[in-house]
Amino acid sequence: MISIVETAPYDDQKPGTSGLRKKVPVFRQKNYVENFIQSIFDSVAGFRGETLVIGGDGRYFNREAIQIAMRMAAANGFGRVIVGQGGILSTPAASHLIRKNRAFGGIILSASHNPGGPEGDFGIKYNIGNGGPAPEKLTEAIYARSQVIDRYATVRAVDVDLDTVGQLMLGDMTVEVIDPVADYAELMEALFDFGAIRALFAGGFRMAFDAMHAVTGPYAVEILERRLGAPVGTARNAVPLEDFGGHHPDPNLVHARELYDLMMSPEAPDFGAASDGDGDRNLIIGRGIFVTPSDSLAMLAANAHLAPGYAQGLKGIARSMPTSGAADRVAQKRGIGLYETPTGWKFFGNLLDAGLATICGEESAGTGSDHVREKDGLWAVLLWLNILAARGESVMEIALGHWAEYGRNYYARHDYEDIDTAAAGELMAALRQKLPSLPGQRFGGLAVEAADDFAYRDPVDGSVSEGQGVRVLFAGGSRIVFRLSGTGTSGATLRVYLECYEPDAARHGRETQEALSGLIAAAERIAEISRRTGRDAPSVVT
């Protein structure tokens, strides 16, 4: 039943920060998926008879790729595959299943917040036994194998019925099709005070959750509406669609504009939230106030003890380097560790496993804790609900109180998407050449105190990651960070992160872009963005 199929390598299968992401037509090339999955299996060892978790976000090509992955898992010697009904598993739910079942690892089929459809994006990511994304050493080995691969193994069999919960055999391997929501919902119920949140909704609290026709729809309906008693319809756009309804499933102020406009209107409910394609990102909006992901991380960390799962306090906080320093001040006041890592959730894994950190976050709308080894959009929403229920205050009141205590970090990210790859590389190279000369220079009222190319030494295993982003640090705590994104599928995306620290509560009501105007002008002068990219303005501002 096992077939060994000859193949030839592709030269473009280098995983980024979250696996291999390309357009669907690329993945549909002959043996493209098979080559990459076999490269994963060839780069790990000791999985014979072990369990593999497989699932995805329901986007176009998800089901077909799952069938390929299951047949190859059977041929390569896995003993069991756990797969979500309909091929559905949110990324945090997959991480939980890996951990709960002590699986060898998992294959997650998603391009996260990127658009879907026949011409849209697709992705394959391998997660290791701790439930987290494969570390760089392993992704580098996978890429190296993909460059020389000449065969893959599969079994000849009819497609597995993904829509019926139950157990069956695929060759000598057991396939378990499971309810994708149940295990995750039970985990959330163990972490949060569902009784208090139920009472909140019973008291008339209103919420709007936009699932963006992506994977969190079924999770939100089950948890928010069925278990917590929120009114039917609280979860909007809750049916996962292969093309996400033609929309971009990225929970930011551009692609979730309808939710934002609602929350800024006189008809606003008490709380608004959204999640992305695979369920690992979140958007938090109160009535009349958008909470930046960086601020959300800090506010969640400052209040996490109000939830039963974190009542003993936090061991530490970890944030990606481009994320604002708001969480640093919480860690300092709490007397716990603060860890600044490169972008990519995989860098948090060692810190979580070693018990050095409890809560982690990225400015790109990812927040999570040690309950899994992925960021978790719905987890962040539920922690906010727990805090709102415990404090009896609005999102606005919590935010204003937090800034009064810790100071406010005005923060924005300007994305220049799909720019010429060569031009983007030249821009970053020119920035790196300027680094020694920047300290001491002034840009308007801003004095450069230091400038570097961020490098990270992992405090657990000693591994070093260099070239993680150019930082320009100004006197008084403001900064600009420049880096190229690793999550796109075409061209290059230049991300410019702007941060201004304001300790004076009397100045906490300024409009963000106005507060950052001096930094915006400085970023243009330092990087020559317009001249080098041909763009006069960013594609997206968040």
Side-chain angles (χ1 to χ4, degrees):
M1 184 178 281
I2 296 176
S3 297
I4 306 300
V5 182
E6 292 185 0
T7 189
Y10 290 90
D11 63 5
D12 62 346
Q13 294 195 328
K14 186 175 180 61
T17 54
S18 295
L20 182 67
R21 293 183 185 172
K22 302 287 181 183
K23 296 294 183 183
V24 168
V26 174
F27 275 102
R28 301 196 80 165
Q29 296 176 96
K30 182 180 180 181
N31 295 342
Y32 194 89
V33 171
E34 290 87 343
N35 279 17
F36 189 69
I37 292 177
Q38 189 65 56
S39 295
I40 294 171
F41 294 158
D42 288 351
S43 301
V44 294
F47 55 75
R48 182 161 294 278
E50 296 288 333
T51 297
L52 182 71
V53 172
I54 301 178
D57 59 15
R59 70 178 57 231
Y60 187 87
F61 195 58
N62 190 63
R63 286 173 172 264
E64 186 175 341
I66 286 175
Q67 299 289 349
I68 293 170
M70 288 193 297
R71 288 194 291 266
M72 293 183 66
N76 279 273
F78 279 93
R80 177 174 68 148
V81 156
I82 299 173
V83 60
Q85 186 181 20
I88 292 289
L89 273 182
S90 76
T91 292
S95 179
H96 174 53
L97 283 172
I98 292 169
R99 295 168 62 79
K100 179 179 180 179
N101 292 278
R102 299 182 179 179
F104 184 86
I107 292 177
I108 300 175
L109 302 163
S110 172
S112 188
H113 55 290
N114 293 356
E119 303 301 320
D121 296 342
F122 192 75
I124 302 176
K125 182 174 73 166
Y126 180 70
N127 280 33
I128 59 176
N130 74 347
E136 284 190 322
K137 184 177 180 180
L138 179 52
T139 58
E140 288 168 0
I142 293 168
Y143 176 59
R145 177 59 184 156
S146 77
Q147 298 304 287
V148 296
I149 193 166
D150 59 358
R151 53 98 191 114
Y152 68 86
T154 188
V155 296
R156 302 297 181 187
V158 298
D159 283 353
V160 170
D161 176 8
L162 293 175
D163 296 312
T164 303
V165 171
Q167 190 173 115
L168 51 85
M169 299 301 295
L170 180 61
D172 295 327
M173 183 183 77
T174 300
V175 175
E176 293 181 20
V177 181
I178 66 164
D179 179 334
V181 177
D183 289 293
Y184 176 85
E186 288 174 8
L187 176 63
M188 295 300 103
E189 197 153 7
L191 293 173
F192 302 117
D193 187 345
F194 272 32
I197 302 173
R198 273 193 292 268
L200 184 71
F201 282 118
F205 183 89
R206 294 187 303 131
M207 174 184 178
F209 178 85
D210 189 351
M212 307 191 88
H213 285 304
V215 77
T216 48
Y219 295 82
V221 169
E222 173 64 25
I223 295 173
L224 296 176
E225 298 181 6
R226 295 177 186 153
R227 299 198 182 199
L228 292 173
V232 173
T234 293
R236 306 174 178 205
N237 302 317
V239 178
L241 300 177
E242 288 189 333
D243 65 350
F244 307 114
H247 299 297
H248 194 141
D250 191 349
N252 61 35
L253 299 187
V254 174
H255 301 300
R257 188 73 194 188
E258 185 177 332
L259 177 65
Y260 175 82
D261 288 343
L262 170 66
M263 296 305 301
M264 299 300 135
S265 75
E267 294 77 33
D270 299 284
F271 185 56
S275 191
D276 70 328
D278 67 330
D280 63 359
R281 299 186 181 211
N282 70 87
L283 173 68
I284 301 297
I285 314 179
R287 184 186 290 127
I289 182 170
F290 161 60
V291 182
T292 71
S294 294
D295 273 346
S296 182
L297 169 64
M299 293 171 192
L300 291 177
N303 293 280
H305 62 280
L306 298 173
Y310 307 95
Q312 301 305 310
L314 307 181
K315 299 170 184 174
I317 305 170
R319 65 166 176 85
S320 65
M321 179 272 289
T323 302
S324 91
D328 302 29
R329 293 174 178 84
V330 176
Q332 183 179 30
K333 186 164 186 175
R334 294 287 192 274
I336 58 177
L338 186 286
Y339 302 90
E340 184 181 35
T341 74
T343 295
W345 205 261
K346 57 192 173 187
F347 291 102
F348 295 137
N350 278 356
L351 299 172
L352 295 169
D353 286 347
L356 296 176
T358 305
I359 284 184
C360 307
E362 297 182 323
E363 54 70 37
S364 54
T367 326
S369 84
D370 55 2
H371 69 291
V372 290
R373 294 298 181 268
E374 288 278 5
K375 47 186 176 277
D376 189 345
L378 198 50
W379 169 90
V381 173
L382 291 168
L383 181 49
W384 263 103
L385 286 171
N386 199 145
I387 292 165
L388 291 166
R391 290 186 56 161
E393 296 177 299
S394 68
V395 175
M396 178 78 78
E397 289 168 332
I398 290 172
L400 293 177
H402 184 93
W403 293 334
E405 182 175 357
Y406 295 98
R408 181 174 182 182
N409 291 68
Y410 285 100
Y411 185 88
R413 188 180 87 190
H414 290 194
D415 288 356
Y416 297 80
E417 297 178 334
D418 199 17
I419 59 178
D420 180 76
T421 302
E426 290 168 4
L427 182 151
M428 292 302 296
L431 273 174
R432 290 184 168 102
Q433 289 179 351
K434 285 183 179 180
L435 288 175
S437 65
L438 285 175
Q441 290 193 45
R442 296 189 69 88
F443 297 88
L446 297 164
V448 179
E449 201 168 64
D452 64 10
D453 192 359
F454 181 66
Y456 175 69
R457 178 179 290 276
D458 191 300
V460 179
D461 64 18
S463 61
V464 176
S465 300
E466 298 179 326
Q468 296 296 316
V470 170
R471 302 188 298 180
V472 182
L473 311 175
F474 299 92
S478 296
R479 67 172 184 159
I480 304 171
V481 174
F482 303 89
R483 61 178 292 274
L484 298 182
S485 169
T487 60
T489 59
S490 63
T493 295
L494 171 68
R495 301 203 195 282
V496 183
Y497 309 85
L498 307 143
E499 178 179 1
C500 173
Y501 177 62
E502 179 54 73
D504 184 359
R507 294 173 59 82
H508 287 171
R510 302 169 70 193
E511 194 278 323
T512 297
Q513 298 304 309
E514 185 273 327
L516 297 172
S517 58
L519 287 168
I520 294 169
E524 173 59 35
R525 285 182 58 192
I526 293 169
E528 303 176 292
I529 298 170
S530 297
R531 182 178 73 80
R532 292 184 177 276
T533 69
R535 302 288 181 84
D536 293 326
S539 312
V540 179
V541 175
T542 54

